[in-house]
Each structure stands twice: as structure tokens, then as C-alpha cells.
Amino acid sequence: MVFKRYVEIGRVALINYGKDYGRLVVIVDVVDQNRALVDAPNMVRSQINFKRLSLTDITVNIKRSPKKKTLIKAMEEADVKNKWENSSWGRKLIVQKKRASLNDFDRFKIMLAKIKRADLVRRELAKLKKEATF
């Protein structure tokens, strides 16, 4: 397995710790061995430690330290948001956020739906077993 996610200018990353947890950012410059300058459309450009970033497979074609307007345009051209939402990693995080926002009654309704589904599966399986024995 070859490593494909390099720290590079234009690499989209997910912040995995701190006040901006869960936010997608783009690396616009590498400060030193441990830090990068990152930016996103609704964020102030800031330095962040590499340990707080999870690199994604998505890249944006930008030059070093672009203006905010240029970055936003490049992100729209690269269709970053759509690619992220269609990736398995992005879908998993969306489901996690949705589950975390459920209230007690929603969780109860889901439990009842799972019980109904399991009952239907059990009945169909019993019917198939009965047909197979004859």
C-alpha cells in the first residue's frame, strides 16, 4: 500500500481536534515541519499543527497563500463540498452528526422500527426454512 496523502498546498484536510473540530480546510502554506497555514470559506486563516489535521484525498489547484476570493473560487471549481459529502468518510461523519442530534423520542422510534424489521426478517426466514424442509 503506497502512501498517497501528502502535506501539500491545496490539500483538503479535516480538523480533528480543537474549536474548529469537524471543519474542512485547505492547506495554503506550510509554516514548518509541524505546522501549516490553513483556510476555509467561513474561517479566519490560521496556523494549525499537523497533529490536529486529518488529510483527505481531495486536492484543490491553488498557488501558495492565495487570496480568500481565489481560494473560494478554486474550492467551488474542485467541487470540494460535493466530493466530501459523497465520500464514505464524509457520509459516515454526516450520519454521526445526525445520530448525535436525535432526541430521546427519535431514538425510541428508531428502536421500534428496528424491532419491526427484525420481526419481518425472522418471519421470512422461518417461511423459507419451512419451504426448504419439504
Side-chain angles (χ1 to χ4, degrees):
M1 187 164 149
V2 180
F3 187 73
K4 295 180 183 173
R5 295 179 185 166
Y6 298 107
V7 174
E8 58 184 329
I9 293 170
R11 175 69 63 184
V12 177
L14 181 74
I15 297 179
N16 60 26
Y17 184 81
K19 66 182 175 93
D20 292 321
Y21 175 80
R23 180 176 286 193
L24 279 180
V25 295
V26 178
I27 296 175
V28 293
D29 199 359
V30 177
V31 177
D32 61 20
Q33 188 174 341
N34 297 314
R35 294 174 296 161
L37 192 63
V38 297
D39 200 359
N42 298 326
M43 179 181 167
V44 177
R45 190 170 289 195
S46 58
Q47 291 182 23
I48 192 162
N49 197 319
F50 288 131
K51 291 179 182 177
R52 294 184 177 206
L53 292 177
S54 297
L55 302 177
T56 66
D57 291 330
I58 306 166
T59 57
V60 177
N61 189 16
I62 56 170
K63 302 257 188 230
R64 185 171 159 248
S65 297
K67 293 181 180 175
K68 181 74 94 174
K69 192 165 75 172
T70 310
L71 178 71
I72 293 170
K73 184 179 176 188
M75 286 181 76
E76 288 171 358
E77 286 175 5
D79 200 20
V80 171
K81 187 174 183 178
N82 193 28
K83 284 180 183 176
W84 175 251
E85 289 172 352
N86 291 331
S87 70
S88 60
W89 188 3
R91 285 193 310 264
K92 185 175 88 170
L93 289 179
I94 289 169
V95 168
Q96 283 179 353
K97 285 180 184 176
K98 197 178 283 186
R99 282 189 181 149
S101 68
L102 293 178
N103 61 24
D104 189 43
F105 186 60
D106 291 333
R107 286 190 293 273
F108 175 73
K109 290 190 291 190
I110 289 172
M111 181 192 72
L112 291 180
K114 284 181 180 179
I115 290 171
K116 278 186 181 177
R117 185 183 65 193
D119 187 46
L120 287 173
V121 169
R122 193 176 341 100
R123 286 183 188 181
E124 282 296 315
L125 185 61
K127 194 184 298 181
L128 290 173
K129 282 183 179 180
K130 190 174 184 180
E131 290 174 4
T133 57
F134 291 116

